[in-house]
Amino acid sequence: MRKYLEIAKKSFQNNIVYRVDYFASVINTLLMIFVNIAIWKAIYEEEEVLGGVQFKVVMTYIILGFLMQSIFMMEEYLIESKVTSGLISSDLLKPLSFRLNIFSYNIGTLIFRIIMQLTPALILSIVLFRMLPPFNLESGILFFISALLGYLVLYSINFIVWLSSFWFYWTFSIITIKDAVIAVLSGALFPLWFLPEKLHAFVELTPFESIYYVPISIYLGLLPYDEIIFAITKQVIWLAFLVIVGHIVWKMATKKLVVQGG
């Protein structure tokens, strides 16, 4: 366990080195929030309520969505760089779990982003954009639980896609498609309740709504308690399923590496 904590610590320290990127990320997040709020304000025009949803609720949804995206960002090409450079062979020889190694690295980055990026961006969002607080204390606590599960679901999807680097030399296109699908179907760009009913029903059958839409809906108090329990249970089930799929793909990937290496 200690060695994985050291990996997370090293990842945290590596991020500190790039201070300019840190400030740029905070500014970029605030700019994206400002632009999207302006767009939604134009959509609402002078109306306070549209489709039964108040503007301040949509505004808080947009703010939370971008704040979560800013800390959920991961090192997309870490495995690809190890595969193409050949460092993957030495990593596999180390007395470490490669999958926990990659996970620990991303956890270190997540902690860095929560402390150094989310905290100032959240304070500025409350002051500048008057972001709403959680619906109540219970919603706030369940939001953190659901957001953590959302991060793990996103990581599990990413890990499966990252492993495609064992079969493809260049994964930029695959990762770009994956990011686009997640952005649209997870509720990262807009609240899913604005989707057509049939399309929303389809999205509910996928793991994507677990990433952003479910935690933010809980925060805003848009889900009754029984639906919250059901939504969190779905997150756990999707996470377990994706972990199993990731394990299977990882086994296939390591066999592929052995075949290529002779």
Side-chain angles (χ1 to χ4, degrees):
M1 185 65 185
R2 187 174 178 181
K3 48 196 175 186
Y4 298 111
L5 291 175
E6 286 298 321
I7 293 171
K9 182 180 176 182
K10 184 180 177 183
S11 172
F12 185 95
Q13 293 170 335
N14 286 343
N15 280 283
I16 291 177
V17 173
Y18 301 102
R19 294 183 179 85
V20 176
D21 286 348
Y22 150 64
F23 288 113
S25 296
V26 174
I27 294 171
N28 181 61
T29 300
L30 293 174
L31 280 176
M32 291 299 293
I33 291 172
F34 176 78
V35 170
N36 277 272
I37 287 178
I39 292 172
W40 279 99
K41 199 169 185 178
I43 294 172
Y44 267 73
E45 295 181 341
E46 299 299 325
E47 301 292 333
E48 282 296 320
V49 180
L50 194 65
V53 183
Q54 292 182 319
F55 173 70
K56 58 185 179 182
V57 172
V58 173
M59 185 179 69
T60 301
Y61 184 103
I62 297 300
I63 294 170
L64 264 181
F66 277 100
L67 291 178
M68 290 175 68
Q69 287 180 71
S70 70
I71 63 170
F72 281 13
M73 290 176 64
M74 301 175 192
E75 178 54 69
E76 297 273 20
Y77 300 99
L78 182 59
I79 293 181
E80 179 185 296
S81 65
K82 287 179 179 292
V83 172
T84 54
S85 67
L87 289 175
I88 186 75
S89 300
S90 58
D91 280 347
L92 292 176
L93 292 175
K94 293 177 182 176
L96 294 169
S97 164
F98 180 79
R99 286 177 292 169
L100 287 178
N101 185 340
I102 298 297
F103 181 69
S104 301
Y105 185 90
N106 280 285
I107 287 296
T109 300
L110 173 67
I111 294 172
F112 169 83
R113 292 182 185 279
I114 289 175
I115 296 174
M116 304 299 286
Q117 293 185 5
L118 177 64
T119 303
L122 179 61
I123 293 172
L124 289 172
S125 295
I126 293 172
V127 174
L128 297 177
F129 307 119
R130 298 181 181 178
M131 174 184 162
L132 294 174
F135 183 70
N136 53 36
L137 179 61
E138 189 177 44
S139 296
I141 295 171
L142 291 171
F143 163 75
F144 283 112
I145 295 172
S146 180
L148 175 61
L149 289 169
Y151 174 84
L152 294 174
V153 168
L154 176 61
Y155 175 81
S156 300
I157 293 172
N158 281 341
F159 183 74
I160 293 168
V161 175
W162 295 339
L163 290 178
S164 65
S165 60
F166 281 81
W167 287 271
F168 303 99
Y169 182 78
W170 199 46
T171 59
F172 175 79
S173 300
I174 297 173
I175 288 176
T176 301
I177 293 170
K178 179 264 298 175
D179 288 342
V181 171
I182 289 176
V184 174
L185 300 184
S186 68
L189 294 181
F190 55 84
L192 294 182
W193 61 72
F194 286 118
L195 286 176
E197 191 174 336
K198 288 185 178 178
L199 182 56
H200 192 182
F202 167 74
V203 175
E204 287 179 340
L205 299 175
T206 73
F208 301 115
E209 70 161 9
S210 298
I211 301 170
Y212 298 111
Y213 178 71
V214 169
I216 299 175
S217 296
I218 293 173
Y219 178 95
L220 294 171
L222 298 176
L223 295 179
Y225 182 75
D226 56 336
E227 289 188 25
I228 292 176
I229 298 302
F230 178 68
I232 290 178
T233 302
K234 273 180 65 179
Q235 286 182 297
V236 173
I237 292 172
W238 273 120
L239 176 60
F241 173 76
L242 291 167
V243 168
I244 292 171
V245 172
H247 177 74
I248 293 171
V249 177
W250 168 247
K251 289 294 182 185
M252 294 168 61
T254 50
K255 288 180 181 177
K256 176 79 175 176
L257 184 69
V258 170
V259 171
Q260 286 185 338

